[in-house]
Amino acid sequence: MARLTARFWVDAYLARLRVYDIPAFVVAHGDDTGGIVLVKLSTLDGNAALFHKSFDLMSGERTWVEMTSGTEADVDASIAKQRGFDPDLWVIEVEDRQGRHLLFDEGLS
C-alpha cells in the first residue's frame, strides 16, 4: 500500500484541525517525503502528551500510540531527545484544553 508523504499528511492534519478551531503549529519541519511525525498535545494546564505512529504487529496496521505524557517540560525533553536521534522528524504542537487531537479520526489514522 502506498504511503502519503509526510508533508502531505501534515498539511491535511492541520487543515482538519482548523475545521474544528483547534490551534496547531509546526514547531519542527522534518523531511518532506519520509520524515516521522510526532504530535504533541498540550492541554494548556502544564500537561502534555506525545504521540507517534507505530506498526501494530497483530493487525499489520500503522496506528497512533502515546509515546509519553506528563508535564509539558517532560514531554518537551522527550521531543528534544528524539530530535537528537532524528533531526528529520516533524513536530506538530496541538493546543486544546479539551484534549482533542483528532489522530484517531477517519482519514488521519
Side-chain angles (χ1 to χ4, degrees):
M1 176 186 234
R3 287 182 44 196
L4 300 175
T5 65
R7 177 62 185 258
F8 187 89
W9 186 90
V10 167
D11 289 343
Y13 182 54
L14 295 174
R16 177 79 60 96
L17 291 167
R18 279 193 299 273
V19 168
Y20 292 93
D21 292 322
I22 300 172
F25 311 92
V26 175
V27 295
H29 184 123
D31 180 70
D32 282 344
T33 304
I36 293 170
V37 179
L38 299 180
V39 176
K40 174 186 168 187
L41 171 64
S42 173
T43 51
L44 304 173
D45 61 358
N47 293 305
L50 185 63
F51 298 88
H52 73 102
K53 211 144 196 204
S54 181
F55 186 75
D56 183 346
L57 294 173
M58 296 299 287
S59 69
E61 299 290 321
R62 292 177 46 81
T63 60
W64 287 98
V65 295
E66 186 176 297
M67 190 173 180
T68 189
S69 63
T71 67
E72 194 154 3
D74 289 342
V75 171
D76 287 342
S78 181
I79 292 169
K81 185 176 179 180
Q82 292 300 316
R83 287 193 42 95
F85 297 137
D86 184 0
D88 287 330
L89 64 83
W90 290 77
V91 179
I92 310 301
E93 184 163 342
V94 177
E95 297 179 342
D96 188 67
R97 291 185 194 285
Q98 298 172 32
R100 298 174 298 166
H101 51 66
L102 309 180
L103 291 172
F104 302 112
D105 283 11
E106 183 74 28
L108 292 174
S109 54

